[in-house]
Amino acid sequence: MFISAGHGQVPGVTTPPGLFDAVLFDRDGTLVHDVPYNGDPALVEPVAGARAALDRLRAAGLRLGVVTNQSGIARGLLTRAQADAVNARVEELLGPFGTWQVCPHDDAAGCACRKPAPGLVHAAARALGTTAARCVVVGDIGRDMGAALAAGATGILVPTPVTLAGEVAAAPAVAADLPAAVDEILRRQASVAAAGQPRRRRHVLVARPDSAGDVLLMGPAFRAVAAHADRVTLLCGPRGRAAAELLPGVDELIEHRLPWIDPQPQPVDPAAMAALTDRLAGFDEAVVFTSFHQSALPLALLLRMAGVPRVSAISDDYPGSLLDVRHRVPPGVPEPERALSLAAAAGFPPPPGDDLALRLRADRVVPGDLPPGYVVVHPGASVPARAAPAGPLRAAVAALAAAGHRVVVTGGPAETALTAEVAGDAGTDLGGRLSLGELAGVLAAASCVVVGNTGPAHVAAAVGTPVVSLYAPTVPYGQWGPYRVPAVRLGDAAAPCRDTRASVCPVPAHPCLSTLEISAVVAAVGLLSASSKPVEVAA
C-alpha cells in the first residue's frame, strides 16, 4: 500500500513509460509571434523552427495542446469567433493539436482558468487523457510558469524581449528558443528509458546516505529498482533514516554515517569502515545515488572491496575500475529525474503504470486527529539560509486565520520556541510533537502547506498536498523544488544568494525571504486550497 498524490493517474488509463504524456504550449510569443489581441488569421506567423519542433514531439508519441489567455475577448477587442479563426490558422501552419483551452476573461473576472491559475492546464490534461503532473507547459512569461507550477506540471520558459528578468530567474527551467525546449523535453523523456533489455536481479543495494528530503526525492528511482529486483536494501544515514522507513519498494535498511557525505563529519574510523565493508558483501548489484556535489567513488571503492560485482553511479570524476556504469547528467535536472535516469542507465527503468510522483507507504503514515482542510505552516528548515524569518511567518499565520483558514504550525523537537512564536494566538502549535510518519499524516489532511526548501516540502509532495514554497534561491528551484505537486513559488528568485549553496545566509537581512509579502502568502494559499484534491490510497 502507498499514499498516492491526488494528481496521479487517470482511472482506467495506463501510464506509458516515460516522464511525460503531453506538452502544452502558450500561443502568443511561444508558438507564434505576439500580435496583441490578434483577431486576424493573416497576421499569424510561427516562431522559427516551430513546425519541425512540434513534429518531433508528435513523432515521439507525445500529445500536444494549447493553453492561452485571450483577455481581448472580455475587453471587446476581438470576438471568440475571431480568436477561433486565429487558432485554426495556427493549426493549419503548425499541425494538429489535441486540445485548445482558451481563457476569454480578464484579471477582473477572478476566474480559475486565466493563467497563472491552473485551470487551463488541468482542463487540457483531462482532454488529452492524462494529468497535469505528466504534462510539460512551455511559455514565454511568468504567468505560464505560474500556471504550470500551480497545476503540478513541469514548466519550461522560452524568454522573449518582453519576458521580465525576474520571470527568468524564477522559472524552473529556461530554454533559448522553442526547438531548444523540445530538445530538453525529448532528452528528459529518453533519460528514463532502459539501456537494453531489463533483467531480473536477486538482491540490489541502493544508497542515499543523506538528509530526509534527499531520501524522499529518490522514491521513484527506488521503486524502479524494486520493479526489477527480488529484494532491495537501502544504505542510508541517520539523518535520512526516518524518511527511508516511509518509502515503498525498500525491504531493508542499513544505517551508517558516511564521513564524505555527512555535513558535520567525524574523523574516518578504519574499524567502522571495515565493518561497513563486511556488511556490504553479498549483494548482486549496487546503485549509488548522490547529489550533484557529492562523490560516489568512496562508497564504490568499499563496494568493490566487499566483492559487489556490478556498481552504477553518476560520476564526472574518472572512476577507474570502481564503476561498471558511469552515468552523467546535465546540471539543473530535478533530483527525482536525475535519480531515475541513473536507475534506467543501470538497467532499472520505471515500470509501466508508475506515475513517477513521490509516494509514501500508507502503513507508515499516521493519520492525525484534526478535522481535515486546515493550512500547515512549517517555519523551520534544515539549514538557516532556507528558513523565512519568524516575524513575517507569524504575520502570515495571523493573516491566514483572519481570512478564514484554520492554521496548524509544525516543527521538530529543536524548533518548539520557533513554532510557538510563529503560531501565536492564531494557529495551533504542534511543534516537537510529531514523528515524520505523524507529520506525513498531518500534511496529508491539509489543504496546503507553507514551507521552505526543506524535508517537509517533499513529505507534502509525497502525500499530494499543494505547497506554497518559500524558496531561498541558494540552490536551483527546478532541481530541488516540490516535485509533481501543485505549488506556488514565493521569495526573491534573483536575490544575491542565488546559486551560492550557502547554509547560512551570506547577505545581510536575508532579503530573499525577509521581504515576503503577507498578502502574497494568503493569495497563494487561496489559489492552492481551492484546487486541493483528496489523497487516494492505492494498492
Side-chain angles (χ1 to χ4, degrees):
M1 300 285 284
F2 58 82
I3 296 286
S4 175
H7 56 270
Q9 296 162 242
V10 176
V13 176
T14 299
T15 303
L19 292 167
F20 311 119
D21 297 332
V23 184
L24 311 177
F25 294 92
D26 173 58
R27 193 191 77 180
D28 302 319
T30 302
L31 292 175
V32 299
H33 290 285
D34 187 14
V35 177
Y37 310 117
N38 183 26
D40 184 355
L43 299 180
V44 172
E45 181 185 357
V47 302
R51 178 63 191 250
L54 297 178
D55 284 345
R56 291 175 62 208
L57 294 173
R58 294 180 181 112
L62 289 163
R63 301 159 228 170
L64 306 186
V66 178
V67 288
T68 177
N69 286 351
Q70 294 298 324
S71 65
I73 298 172
R75 299 178 187 186
L77 300 175
L78 71 158
T79 66
R80 181 58 190 259
Q82 287 175 311
D84 290 343
V86 169
N87 293 342
R89 177 58 175 164
V90 172
E91 203 160 74
E92 181 181 345
L93 294 172
L94 296 181
F97 293 90
T99 185
W100 283 82
Q101 299 294 329
V102 178
C103 173
H105 311 110
D106 59 17
D107 283 330
C111 66
C113 55
R114 182 165 171 78
K115 295 178 288 186
L120 292 181
V121 177
H122 284 303
R126 286 193 299 269
L128 295 174
T130 185
T131 63
R134 290 187 58 84
C135 293
V136 184
V137 177
V138 181
D140 67 315
I141 61 174
R143 283 180 176 265
D144 302 317
M145 297 301 96
L149 293 181
T154 296
I156 299 180
L157 182 74
V158 180
T160 70
V162 305
T163 311
L164 301 177
E167 295 174 338
V168 176
V174 179
D177 53 27
L178 183 61
V182 169
D183 288 343
E184 177 66 4
I185 293 166
L186 293 176
R187 187 198 63 73
R188 287 168 68 172
Q189 183 82 334
S191 71
V192 302
Q197 185 65 31
R199 57 185 176 83
R200 193 76 185 173
R201 281 79 156 187
R202 289 186 297 112
H203 196 176
V204 179
L205 177 79
V206 295
R208 187 65 196 258
D210 221 317
S211 67
D214 298 309
V215 171
L216 290 172
L217 291 172
M218 300 297 99
F222 292 169
R223 297 198 306 268
V225 173
H228 306 280
D230 295 334
R231 186 171 181 80
V232 174
T233 295
L234 169 59
L235 172 62
C236 65
R239 295 181 304 128
R241 170 98 193 207
E245 292 174 342
L246 300 178
L247 290 180
V250 175
D251 300 299
E252 178 188 20
L253 298 178
I254 300 174
E255 180 184 325
H256 200 97
R257 189 187 301 271
L258 299 185
W260 57 91
I261 297 293
D262 198 86
Q264 297 176 320
Q266 300 295 314
V268 174
D269 182 347
M273 291 297 101
L276 176 60
T277 302
D278 290 342
R279 181 65 182 84
L280 297 177
F283 291 99
D284 300 298
E285 187 161 341
V287 186
V288 180
F289 295 93
T290 53
S291 184
F292 72 98
H293 63 280
Q294 298 170 341
S295 174
L297 298 185
L299 181 55
L301 175 60
L302 298 187
L303 290 163
R304 286 300 196 217
M305 294 173 65
V308 177
R310 191 170 190 266
V311 182
S312 302
I314 294 172
S315 182
D316 289 323
D317 295 328
Y318 172 63
S321 59
L322 297 182
L323 298 179
D324 299 282
V325 176
R326 178 196 185 188
H327 187 53
R328 296 188 184 186
V329 181
V333 176
E335 281 292 293
E337 295 179 22
R338 187 175 187 270
L340 280 164
S341 74
L342 171 59
F348 303 97
D354 194 322
D355 62 6
L356 306 184
L358 306 187
R359 297 182 192 161
L360 302 180
R361 289 179 51 173
D363 62 338
R364 301 289 174 86
V365 175
V366 182
D369 56 5
L370 298 171
Y374 45 83
V375 175
V376 170
V377 175
H378 187 94
S382 56
V383 296
R386 301 178 193 170
L393 289 180
R394 180 185 176 96
V397 169
L400 288 167
H405 298 282
R406 290 182 293 123
V407 184
V408 172
V409 180
T410 59
E415 297 171 333
T416 53
L418 173 63
T419 60
E421 179 181 356
V422 170
D425 297 328
T428 299
D429 181 13
L430 296 183
R433 304 181 190 180
L434 305 174
S435 68
L436 194 61
E438 290 169 334
L439 175 63
V442 168
L443 294 179
S447 60
C448 70
V449 56
V450 181
V451 62
N453 177 23
T454 193
H458 307 306
V459 177
V463 296
T465 299
V467 176
V468 177
S469 180
L470 310 181
Y471 199 87
T474 53
V475 293
Y477 183 89
Q479 189 169 353
W480 296 98
Y483 188 66
R484 293 202 169 193
V485 67
V488 173
R489 177 182 182 173
L490 297 179
D492 183 359
C497 64
R498 181 179 172 88
D499 295 335
T500 62
R501 289 183 46 221
S503 58
V504 177
C505 183
V507 184
H510 200 23
C512 67
L513 293 176
S514 63
T515 56
L516 201 63
E517 294 183 7
I518 306 307
S519 60
V521 177
V522 176
V525 167
L527 174 67
L528 294 180
S529 296
S531 60
S532 180
K533 299 178 178 61
V535 174
E536 299 172 349
V537 179

